[in-house]
Amino acid sequence: MTEVDPALLSLLVCPMSKLPLRYDRDAQELVNDALGIAYPIRDGVPIMLAEEARRFSPEDHGR
Amino acid sequence: MSSRPVLFDRPLLRRRRDRAVRGVAPAREPDFLLREAAERLLDRLSDIRRAFPLALDLGAHTGQLARLRAGRGGIDTLVSVEPSAAMAALAPAPAVVADEDSLPFADAVADAVLSCMSLHWIDDLPGLLAEAFRVLKPGGLFLAMLPGEETLHELRDSLARAELAVDGGVSPRVIPMLTVQDAGSLLQRAGFAEPVVDRERIAIDYADPLRLLADLRAMGETNALAERRKAPLSRAVLLAALAAYRENHPAADGRVAATVDLLTLTAWKPE
């Protein structure tokens, strides 16, 4: 598995809300806990598209 | 959601680009135009003689700019931002999949926002410029190249002639292109300082218009207009368009002419 560049992670925010994201290393996701949106990371490339994101209810804390 | 009319079918553009990189290896590289524009953009960047530690490349395709830069342009880190996951996977790291007008970057992080031959597919160009402005640091550079003005006018004309002759009507087959004047006023309205827009005309000749169509397909550049005719080009229209192209737009030695107007947009975020 290719690791995502940590310097890149420090720049990224949610493209819709511009809120900061939490990096879930095990799930390989960038998570917006406030809005309940998780963006997948595939082979070290974050996929920051609304239609590729996983939605969850914010109370579940991303899981 | 806004009720602004949608010009481009973005998911289709993504599929076109995904498909373009899965295509069989062509006899020569069809992305010569992307690489040519990337070289010119890097030359412009080098002329500015400033350091741009962090730069973003919006609509990076397969990372042509990242691969060609070879230490030029004063960039330490170039992040490739590309809407097609298949293209982004081929770009050198760091790469991000994102739409160019909905950037996943925090405010004021970038020293330069670059774009090479992608902004002609943006529906909301004022929105994109606002996003570029937002992610730039004060004093940061916006530098973009895109096809504009009379680009592919020979193809547009040939398809219109053919459709009129065969179907009795014309549908949009080639996207509308930005003019120098419009680009300048858009940059100004977005809040940029010292906006400069210039045009370079690149004359390309092809042995046959079919080769031009093959190159466009290989770059993922075929029609993705939302209002395009859903039916593919009929064989009769295609043949008539090819004949009209050969007849009306000849180049030397029995070849055909194709025009690309390369617009370069340069502007700065005020300090």
Side-chain angles (χ1 to χ4, degrees), chain B residues 26-28 206-217 242:
Chain B
R28 69 200 165 85
Y206 278 91
D208 191 89
L210 270 177
R211 295 301 304 269
L212 167 64
L213 295 180
D215 276 5
L216 290 174
R217 197 170 302 118
L242 294 174

Side-chain angles (χ1 to χ4, degrees), chain B residues 83-99:
Chain B
S84 153
M87 283 199 169
L90 297 176
V96 175
V97 176
D99 277 325

Side-chain angles (χ1 to χ4, degrees), chain B residues 32-230:
Chain B
F32 74 96
L33 194 58
L34 293 180
R35 284 179 290 114
E36 173 65 30
E39 289 288 353
R40 290 178 188 223
L41 192 145
L42 288 164
D43 282 347
R44 300 268 185 139
L45 203 56
S46 303
D47 288 345
I48 294 172
R49 304 191 152 280
R50 286 247 311 242
F52 300 103
L54 177 69
L56 310 176
D57 177 12
L58 306 186
H61 299 93
T62 55
Q64 279 85 354
L65 209 56
R67 254 177 277 112
L68 289 169
R69 73 186 171 102
R72 274 184 295 175
I75 300 170
D76 295 330
T77 304
L78 179 64
V79 181
S80 293
V81 183
E82 166 55 42
S84 153
M87 283 199 169
L90 297 176
V96 175
V97 176
D99 277 325
E100 300 95 320
D101 55 1
S102 183
L103 294 177
F105 299 103
D107 295 358
V109 291
D111 301 283
V113 171
L114 314 173
S115 182
C116 192
M117 304 299 271
S118 274
L119 298 191
H120 55 301
W121 287 117
I122 298 299
D123 248 329
D124 180 13
L125 208 46
L128 173 121
L129 293 174
E131 276 287 82
F133 193 89
R134 180 183 67 78
V135 301
L136 275 172
K137 291 177 184 167
L141 168 72
F142 178 76
L143 174 61
M145 276 193 182
L146 71 156
E149 303 251 313
E150 297 295 309
T151 296
L152 298 181
H153 72 88
E154 301 91 348
L155 178 63
R156 189 193 309 263
D157 168 68
S158 304
L159 287 166
R161 282 171 191 266
E163 282 195 313
L164 207 54
V166 176
D167 295 342
V170 176
S171 57
R173 295 280 185 188
V174 179
I175 61 170
M177 299 281 179
L178 189 68
T179 65
V180 169
Q181 290 79 1
D182 290 347
S185 58
L186 285 173
L187 285 169
Q188 217 145 25
R189 263 185 276 163
F192 284 104
E194 300 169 61
V196 178
V197 183
D198 64 82
R199 189 190 74 180
E200 297 168 86
R201 179 155 288 185
I202 303 178
I204 306 169
D205 55 73
Y206 278 91
D208 191 89
L210 270 177
R211 295 301 304 269
L212 167 64
L213 295 180
D215 276 5
L216 290 174
R217 197 170 302 118
M219 287 189 288
E221 288 288 327
T222 48
N223 194 358
L225 284 170
E227 291 302 311
R228 72 194 181 284
R229 290 256 296 266
K230 304 297 178 193

Side-chain angles (χ1 to χ4, degrees), chain A residues 5 8 10-16 18 21 42 44-49 51, chain B residues 14 54 79 83 88 94-99 102-106 109 131 134:
Chain A
D5 185 336
L8 177 62
S10 68
L11 305 172
L12 294 178
V13 298
C14 170
M16 289 183 282
K18 314 301 180 192
L21 298 165
R42 296 193 195 121
V45 179
I47 315 290
M48 310 301 286
L49 298 171
E51 61 261 43
Chain B
R14 247 180 244 126
L54 177 69
V79 181
V96 175
V97 176
D99 277 325
S102 183
L103 294 177
F105 299 103
V109 291
E131 276 287 82
R134 180 183 67 78

